[in-house]
Amino acid sequence: KHYVKERKSQTPIEALRALASMQKRPLPVLTSVASKQSPIMLMAQIRVDNGDTAGIETLAKNLADAGADALALFTDHGLEPHGLDDLVALTRAVNIPIISQDVFIDEYQIVEVRAAGASGLVLRASTMDKELLRTLVSSTQRNRMTAIVEVNNFDEVAYAQSLSPYVIAISRMDAWTGASSNIPASELRAAISGDTRVILAESLGTLEDVQAAADLQVHAVIVQPELLLSSAHK
């Protein structure tokens, strides 16, 4: 909260909104029809903590060439100032949706990632109260981005669906406490109804993990870069 307050004092939200208005329309997330070769869409996760802009641009291009449908950016230290720079670098490097997976606690940050060119972002239900989650989902949608609400229990699933997000992410861990969920992913998947798209929140590292996710009838998975790059060379 202190860090966000500091950024607000440096750049007023009105200035960010002006920058956001100059961005091209966000790319749609999870609207394409999966092919027979790839029954679910693949989001490659990029994790950085050193601000290596040139390195992530190269990685992003390689992942896009390898068939990634989208990229998910996660900085190991969510409040590092280079996080937005990394986001800008990715949105300029490739023409596929970029999803921000960092920590969100304020509407100001929603406008920040929109100004950086993101197409969507992840909002973790376990890290905020229901009122804040509703506010941030609404703000994300107003900024034409895709709100991905991460859930790990039935109460979070029910409340998330009441907000009508386009995508819900199933997590096996409470993002606030780090505790593992004792609810099978299959049961959480079965609780998500309607036209809501579903993804797995964890980053998968093997083809067996991806197949297990496909068996859950999710629409997309997040995979580690090495899996996609190694598969592309086979």
Side-chain angles (χ1 to χ4, degrees):
K1 288 181 179 179
H2 171 78
Y3 186 65
V4 173
K5 183 179 179 180
E6 186 178 69
R7 296 211 305 274
K8 284 181 177 180
S9 67
Q10 296 172 350
T11 308
I13 194 168
E14 292 77 12
L16 279 181
R17 287 185 174 132
L19 289 173
S21 68
M22 293 186 284
Q23 286 286 347
K24 62 183 180 181
R25 187 181 182 89
L27 295 171
V29 177
L30 288 180
T31 56
S32 301
V33 177
S35 67
K36 292 182 180 180
Q37 291 76 22
S38 181
I40 56 180
M41 297 184 69
L42 301 177
M43 295 184 176
Q45 186 181 65
I46 295 180
R47 301 172 68 98
V48 294
D49 63 357
N50 58 6
D52 179 12
T53 300
I56 66 169
E57 286 179 343
T58 299
L59 177 58
K61 292 174 182 177
N62 290 339
L63 289 168
D65 290 341
D69 297 297
L71 300 178
L73 174 65
F74 181 84
T75 53
D76 290 337
H77 303 289
L79 298 182
E80 287 291 324
H82 63 73
L84 288 172
D85 294 336
D86 293 337
L87 189 58
V88 170
L90 289 181
T91 59
R92 291 178 177 175
V94 294
N95 191 37
I96 57 176
I98 308 299
I99 311 301
S100 176
Q101 285 190 293
D102 280 342
V103 178
F104 292 92
I105 60 168
D106 193 286
E107 185 176 3
Y108 182 87
Q109 296 169 280
I110 307 297
V111 183
E112 277 187 317
V113 297
R114 176 68 190 96
S119 293
L121 52 91
V122 177
L123 300 170
R124 298 171 177 84
S126 60
T127 65
M128 63 188 81
D129 60 38
K130 291 181 177 179
E131 182 178 352
L132 178 58
L133 180 58
R134 177 180 292 275
T135 296
L136 296 187
V137 168
S138 177
S139 177
T140 302
Q141 294 170 339
R142 286 199 310 274
N143 281 277
R144 299 183 176 182
M145 294 183 293
T146 299
I148 302 172
V149 180
E150 183 181 295
V151 300
N152 80 326
N153 60 52
F154 294 119
D155 179 61
E156 290 177 357
V157 169
Y159 187 69
Q161 288 215 273
S162 75
L163 303 177
S164 300
Y166 186 66
V167 184
I168 288 179
I170 296 173
S171 174
R172 296 169 185 168
M173 182 184 74
D174 185 307
W176 183 252
T177 65
S180 297
S181 173
N182 57 4
I183 304 173
S186 58
E187 294 184 16
L188 290 175
R189 173 66 185 96
I192 302 172
S193 58
D195 296 327
T196 307
R197 300 285 179 165
V198 181
I199 69 174
L200 284 186
E202 65 184 86
S203 182
L204 306 179
T206 69
L207 292 175
E208 290 76 18
D209 290 338
V210 175
Q211 182 58 56
D215 293 341
L216 292 175
Q217 297 185 325
V218 298
H219 299 91
V221 292
I222 299 172
V223 299
Q224 296 172 16
E226 295 78 12
L227 175 61
L228 194 57
L229 295 174
S230 63
S231 298
H233 290 299
K234 292 181 180 179

